[in-house]
């Protein structure tokens, strides 16, 4: 294992320290609790809180800031944050309008966020609503999941619900917006290589020199099948088809995210995106907005994933709304 | 070799196609000539043009847009663009105030940009000024270079000279600004793994399981020495020390870029950045601005590089000025 780390036990704390130093104007980082806060919170609005295991950077901490998350709770690598940690962040970001928890559908995360929500209600009277992201069409149940896994589409939920909260909507409305995004988002990923968890020190799984995993999870959980390596065009079909089989994406504007798994460079991601968009167009799907890059990753895994959102005009407007975070930053 | 590509001969064209589809509002891409243009050019200002071999994305095409480059000429992977291609882009972006060529110091690039400048002067009377970026302190001469190589610091030159041009400065002034950035920029990189050029199909060089290359070039050219793998803290010292030995960075605000080589995820880059900034502070260097991510890459190489700019107040203001490109995007 060759990684830019010191002691494998310290990777989360030390990575958060670097993130804090790199973004002092955007982030306040609690290095004890492993919680990341928006440096300039906006009072009176619904607060958005997400989190999960580390190793998926920039998710979630890179999405903390104006127009997106108010806090991110970072667990150890591929491990849920703990209830006390989430409770503390929940209480801290509540400025009276309540808090939306955005949780990826993994058993540990769902359980810990639920406990934290109850604790926060008991301790400080914070009103918490929760949505669970389950966009991965690859498998029904998985290693750490009952039901579908939450993967790249989480970015859509955080961006669009974040813009809705920023606009002053109340907790129920923000929750409904988030749920609508989840209901209309589907994802599918693939791995060319395994990731290596620092504390394990060796690849999570083995892939042959000409072998790939289709439907990979973002923790290296098994997907649908092993396959031989294929061309970018054929791989794009492998990404697009299971998504379109699961939901009809024609007739609405679509937001597309072609995300790298951490070790795939932009050179390849752009090439892949060209194939994906061409196939979508041939199938009658109109891409209205797109994003290409490493956003929801799996440590040093090579590979990519496609997430599609069947949007409407309001979702597009919320997507376009200003955002100022380390990983997404734009004016309208 | 497992890469998200089709025919290795088509990677540049196909990657550019995807880039064009992903950024229709920012870029106009000429898929015949492999030139990338700013979609909404600003008339009357000095135009900035850069380019070089492909495989370093987002450099240079990802830096085309308001406040940075007007055009990028993309060669084949790790191969200079050709004179006719550069000449065409030079003539096209000139709106009367002349064109600045920003060239990384590789023999082929320097020669081809020089020929293109002469051709553009002869054919269309375009006034061209040129700066050559040579920020890599690792080696004096290299595989493709007489003198020092141009690497990550190119980003500083393109951003700061781009802002100066956007402000309406004339060609000589913009050139002087660019040269001042070059004179005050130093870089040093390291590789944990080789890159693999698609057409070659195998790694450019071999590194053992516990071996790294210090002072690596962005095409996999040899650096100063092979070393055994070290901790992030020790590696940060390996990056910082040769830079500070080459130029005094105390007493001025410094802009720091900790860049990935393409396959190193943010999780590790942030951790590494924390080490780097701490060491800089201990050595009396004050980081005023920082950037962490994969910006000047070497295909799928794992590793990182540090670039430091000894800035002054004007350079900081130009760094902070608005920029709207695929890879850098901010308001003041």
């Amino acid at each position: 294992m060759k990684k830019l780390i010191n002691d494998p036990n310290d990777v989360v704390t030390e990575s958060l320290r670097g993130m804090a130093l790199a973004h002092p104007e955007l982030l306040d980082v609690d290095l004890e609790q492993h919680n990341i806060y928006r440096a300039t919170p906006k009072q009176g609005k619904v607060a958005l809180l997400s989190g999960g295991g580390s190793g998926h950077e920039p998710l979630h901490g890179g999405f903390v800031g104006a127009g997106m998350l108010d806090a991110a709770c970072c667990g150890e690598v591929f491990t849920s944050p703990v209830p006390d940690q989430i409770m503390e962040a929940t209480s801290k970001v509540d400025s009276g309008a309540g808090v939306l928890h955005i949780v990826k559908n993994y058993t540990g995360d769902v359980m810990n966020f639920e406990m934290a929500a109850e604790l926060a209600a008991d301790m400080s009277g914070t009103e918490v609503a929760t949505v669970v992201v389950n966009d991965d069409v690859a498998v029904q149940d998985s290693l750490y999941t009952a039901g579908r896994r939450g993967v790249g589409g989480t970015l859509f939920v955080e961006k669009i619900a974040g813009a809705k909260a920023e606009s002053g909507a109340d907790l129920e409305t923000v929750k409904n917006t988030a749920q609508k995004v989840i209901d209309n988002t589907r994802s599918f990923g693939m791995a060319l290589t395994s990731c290596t968890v620092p504390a394990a020190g060796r690849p999570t799984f083995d892939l042959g020199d000409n072998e790939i995993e289709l439907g990979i999870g973002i923790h290296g959980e098994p997907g649908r099948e092993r396959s031989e390596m294929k061309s970018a065009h054929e791989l794009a079909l492998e990404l697009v088809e299971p998504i379109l089989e699961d939901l009809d994406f024609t007739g609405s504007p679509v937001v597309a995210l072609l995300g790298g798994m951490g070790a795939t460079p932009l050179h390849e991601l752009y090439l892949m995106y060209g194939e994906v968009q061409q196939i979508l167009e041939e199938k009658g799907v109109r891409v209205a907005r797109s994003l290409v890059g490493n956003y929801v990753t799996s440590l040093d895994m090579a590979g990519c994933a496609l997430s599609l959102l069947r949007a409407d005009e309001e979702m597009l407007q919320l997507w376009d709304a200003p955002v100022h975070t380390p990983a997404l930053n734009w004016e309208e």
Side-chain angles (χ1 to χ4, degrees), chain A:
Chain A
M1 174 181 66
K2 285 191 283 191
K3 285 179 183 284
L4 302 174
I5 62 173
N6 296 303
D7 185 329
N9 294 314
D10 298 333
V11 294
V12 173
T13 304
E14 293 185 353
S15 186
L16 286 175
R17 180 184 66 144
M19 198 174 187
L21 290 171
H23 305 289
E25 72 292 353
L26 291 172
L27 305 179
D28 271 339
V29 180
D30 180 339
L31 291 178
E32 295 285 324
Q33 289 283 340
H34 291 181
N35 287 335
I36 303 176
Y37 298 99
R38 180 171 162 179
T40 51
K42 183 175 173 180
Q43 296 303 311
K45 79 167 190 71
V46 171
L48 262 65
L49 185 154
S50 191
S54 294
H56 308 298
E57 291 72 19
L59 182 86
H60 297 269
F63 301 141
V64 171
M68 221 161 160
L69 298 179
D70 294 275
C73 301
C74 309
E76 290 300 309
V77 171
F78 294 175
T79 303
S80 174
V82 296
D84 278 357
Q85 168 190 6
I86 304 169
M87 180 200 68
E88 181 173 317
T90 302
S91 300
K92 187 164 171 183
V93 297
D94 182 25
S95 68
V99 181
L100 180 67
H101 282 183
I102 299 172
V103 187
K104 301 195 300 305
N105 188 34
Y106 300 97
T107 308
D109 293 66
V110 170
M111 191 175 65
N112 288 355
F113 273 89
E114 189 177 319
M115 286 177 60
E118 288 168 10
L119 287 169
D122 290 347
M123 303 279 283
S124 55
T126 297
E127 188 185 0
V128 178
T130 301
V131 292
V132 176
V133 186
N134 58 351
D135 53 318
D136 188 349
V137 304
V139 293
Q140 184 50 38
D141 300 304
S142 186
L143 216 48
Y144 313 112
T145 330
R148 288 178 168 181
R149 300 176 294 219
V151 290
T154 310
L155 185 155
F156 296 150
V157 182
E158 295 179 0
K159 172 66 186 78
I160 291 172
K164 191 73 181 175
E166 205 80 24
S167 78
D170 65 19
L171 182 58
E172 190 186 350
T173 306
V174 175
K175 179 189 173 173
N176 289 342
T177 298
Q179 189 59 50
K180 193 172 168 189
V181 173
I182 294 169
D183 294 342
N184 286 282
T185 296
R186 299 292 187 277
S187 300
F188 191 92
M190 71 176 59
L192 307 188
T193 70
S194 175
C195 51
T196 296
V197 176
R202 57 178 187 283
T204 304
F205 57 97
D206 292 311
L207 278 175
D209 284 348
N210 195 38
E211 201 179 27
I212 61 174
E213 177 90 21
L214 294 172
I216 192 76
I218 57 173
H219 312 90
E221 311 97 301
R224 285 190 177 183
E225 57 170 328
R226 293 280 168 99
S227 158
E228 59 178 6
M229 185 60 188
K230 302 180 181 187
S231 71
H233 181 76
E234 291 166 320
L235 292 176
L237 282 167
E238 296 282 1
L239 294 179
V240 169
E241 284 177 345
I243 290 176
L244 299 193
E245 279 164 18
D246 202 77
L247 187 68
D248 180 7
F249 279 88
T250 60
S252 297
V254 166
V255 185
L257 165 63
L258 196 277
M261 287 296 192
T264 292
L266 266 180
H267 187 68
E268 294 177 47
L269 291 177
Y270 277 130
L271 191 154
M272 194 71 184
Y273 180 71
E275 296 293 339
V276 164
Q277 181 164 333
Q278 184 187 322
I279 291 166
L280 288 172
E281 282 171 9
E282 288 166 5
K283 292 180 182 288
V285 175
R286 179 172 72 84
V287 178
R289 302 289 187 278
S290 63
L291 198 60
V292 178
N294 284 286
Y295 292 104
V296 180
T297 63
S298 182
L299 292 169
D300 54 354
M301 185 187 282
C304 66
L306 177 65
S307 297
L308 296 183
L309 164 65
R310 187 176 64 182
D312 56 22
E313 283 309 313
E314 190 200 9
M315 284 194 256
L316 282 189
Q317 281 173 21
L318 293 167
W319 176 261
D320 290 341
V323 60
H324 299 291
T325 72
L328 290 186
N329 186 35
W330 60 68
E331 292 296 314
E332 206 151 359

